[in-house]
């Protein structure tokens, strides 16, 4: 017991030490995370793959609170891609059920911390109950002015761009926009990310070095950070390390 107490105090101290070395003035405003490696984590622990997703879900709480403490304004989490429907039905069903467990458990704390929940994804194909649970959390927190917790759920970058072009063409046909008015700032209003700034920092866990159809437009100038750590094992200390590395980067945007 005493040993465990000391261990957890040690952990808290290292979290504190790392947090204090983060320069609060240049914390990335928007951090996006590809939360990957849940199933490999489960295999490594001799557990069924859904146990990996469950532990991964619990880690969303940890990292959301860490983002809030660090002063991040927007945290976008890739929770389910448009390609993830290709997985076995029982796994997809389990993933679709997670919001019904996450939000009732978390909503009080999210409200208390002034977190605003958003959903960035395609509504079609989502089970009615899942969509309702997410939309309820969005509604309940819409007036909150703290951290924006943006779930990329049933999200695909290419689908998002195609939808935007489709809407734009409809507006052009209706005569509300003209081709010569189109510029980047107009186009981004059609994207699912709407008024959110582009991510400054993209983190991907589990050792995969790819985007997997994530925020293709918005990540154009993000700083990329990869770790071998599986998502269920990704802690606040890893998060701080990513931010510290980000703070050492020089963002040139093609100039300088
Ligand atoms: C990320 O972990 C969660 C989702 C994609 C829903 P994975 O389920 O992709 O786990 P790995 O990458 O196969 O280990
Ligand atoms: C990307 O992870 C999607 C999410 C984390 C939600 P995947 O595990 O689905 O990506 P691939 O298959 O390795 O590209
Ligand atoms: Mg994966």
């Amino acid at each position: 017991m005493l040993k465990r107490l000391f261990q957890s105090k040690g952990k808290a101290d290292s979290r504190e030490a790392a947090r204090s070395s983060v320069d609060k003035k240049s914390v990335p405003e928007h951090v996006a995370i590809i939360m990957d490696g849940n199933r490999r984590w489960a295999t490594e622990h001799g557990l069924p793959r859904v146990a990996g997703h469950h532990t991964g879900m619990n880690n969303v709480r940890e990292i959301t609170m860490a983002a809030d403490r660090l002063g991040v304004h927007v945290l976008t989490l890739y929770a389910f891609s448009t390609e993830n429907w290709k997985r076995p039905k029982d796994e997809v069903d389990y993933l679709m059920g997670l919001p019904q467990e996450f939000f009732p458990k978390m909503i009080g704390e999210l409200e208390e911390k002034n977190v605003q929940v958003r959903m960035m994804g395609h509504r079609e194909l989502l089970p009615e109950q899942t969509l309702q649970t997410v939309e309820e959390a969005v509604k309940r927190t819409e007036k909150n002015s703290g951290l924006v917790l943006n779930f990329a759920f049933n999200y695909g970058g290419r689908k998002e761009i195609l939808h935007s072009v489709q809407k734009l063409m409809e507006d052009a046909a209706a005569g509300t926009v003209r081709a010569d008015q189109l510029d980047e700032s107009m186009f981004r209003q059609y994207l699912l990310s709407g008024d959110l700034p582009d991510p400054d920092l993209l983190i991907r866990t589990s050792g995969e070095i790819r985007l997997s159809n994530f925020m293709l437009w918005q990540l154009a100038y993000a700083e990329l950070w990869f770790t071998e750590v599986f998502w269920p094992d990704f802690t606040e200390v890893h998060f701080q390390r990513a931010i510290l590395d980000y703070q050492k980067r020089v963002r040139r945007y093609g100039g300088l």
Side-chain angles (χ1 to χ4, degrees), residues 2 15 21 58 111 143 166 193 208 210 213 252:
L2 211 55
R15 275 205 305 264
S21 49
N58 288 331
E111 295 246 55
K143 297 206 167 64
Q166 221 162 28
S193 48
E208 307 297 353
R210 56 175 167 260
N213 203 15
R252 298 198 182 85

Side-chain angles (χ1 to χ4, degrees), residues 2-238:
L2 211 55
K3 193 169 161 225
R4 191 140 22 104
L5 258 176
F6 277 123
Q7 268 172 355
S8 71
K9 184 171 180 310
K11 256 198 212 162
D13 285 349
S14 68
R15 275 205 305 264
E16 202 43 64
R19 201 181 306 144
S20 58
S21 49
V22 166
D23 176 0
K24 286 280 187 188
K25 287 195 292 290
S26 55
V27 168
E29 188 182 3
H30 184 173
V31 178
I33 307 183
I34 303 178
M35 308 184 287
D36 199 14
N38 289 350
R39 297 181 299 184
R40 278 166 286 165
W41 180 91
T43 305
E44 206 178 72
H45 288 77
L47 295 168
R49 50 172 61 184
V50 292
H53 293 314
H54 195 261
T55 312
M57 177 198 76
N58 288 331
N59 204 35
V60 167
R61 177 191 175 274
E62 298 305 313
I63 297 306
T64 301
M65 295 308 152
D68 191 44
R69 281 190 289 270
L70 285 158
V72 168
H73 291 163
V74 184
L75 178 68
T76 295
L77 299 176
Y78 203 7
F80 191 90
S81 78
T82 45
E83 288 69 37
N84 289 148
W85 296 106
K86 293 180 205 156
R87 295 192 178 190
K89 186 177 181 308
D90 59 344
E91 186 183 349
V92 169
D93 288 348
Y94 186 83
L95 289 166
M96 287 298 141
L98 287 179
Q100 280 120 275
E101 184 178 343
F102 178 80
F103 287 111
K105 205 157 72 181
M106 277 299 293
I107 198 74
E109 197 173 358
L110 294 172
E111 295 246 55
E112 191 190 307
K113 296 270 190 270
N114 197 22
V115 173
Q116 186 190 93
V117 176
R118 294 207 197 179
M119 143 104 181
M120 181 179 76
H122 308 281
R123 273 148 175 77
E124 66 257 27
L125 299 180
L126 290 180
E128 192 51 43
Q129 188 58 46
T130 306
L131 189 57
Q132 212 177 304
T133 306
V134 179
E135 281 180 342
E136 223 174 84
V138 170
K139 187 102 200 69
R140 260 183 78 167
T141 59
E142 72 185 350
K143 297 206 167 64
N144 290 352
S145 55
L147 172 74
V148 173
L149 177 59
N150 184 35
F151 284 99
F153 192 61
N154 193 20
Y155 174 88
R158 287 186 171 175
K159 194 176 169 85
E160 173 186 44
I161 292 173
L162 285 183
H163 266 256
S164 309
V165 173
Q166 221 162 28
K167 276 194 280 168
L168 194 60
M169 287 171 77
E170 283 166 12
D171 287 351
T176 52
V177 299
R178 286 191 331 264
D180 63 353
Q181 287 177 313
L182 183 61
D183 60 11
E184 287 188 12
S185 75
M186 183 197 225
F187 187 70
R188 65 170 62 245
Q189 287 164 26
Y190 283 85
L191 295 169
L192 294 169
S193 48
D195 61 347
L196 295 178
D198 286 344
D200 301 291
L201 171 64
L202 171 80
I203 296 173
R204 183 168 188 155
T205 60
S206 91
E208 307 297 353
I209 318 283
R210 56 175 167 260
L211 291 181
S212 301
N213 203 15
F214 191 44
M215 302 187 88
L216 299 179
W217 170 282
Q218 299 90 335
L219 289 172
Y221 258 108
E223 293 297 323
L224 312 180
W225 195 87
F226 299 95
T227 174
E228 296 285 324
V229 171
F230 295 141
W231 171 250
D233 287 332
F234 184 81
T235 64
E236 180 170 3
V237 173
H238 299 114

Side-chain angles (χ1 to χ4, degrees), residues 235-254:
T235 64
E236 180 170 3
V237 173
H238 299 114
F239 198 0
Q240 289 158 352
R241 215 170 283 156
I243 293 184
L244 283 169
D245 283 348
Y246 166 86
Q247 293 182 332
K248 289 185 204 128
R249 310 261 181 103
V250 180
R251 302 187 76 186
R252 298 198 182 85
Y253 299 100

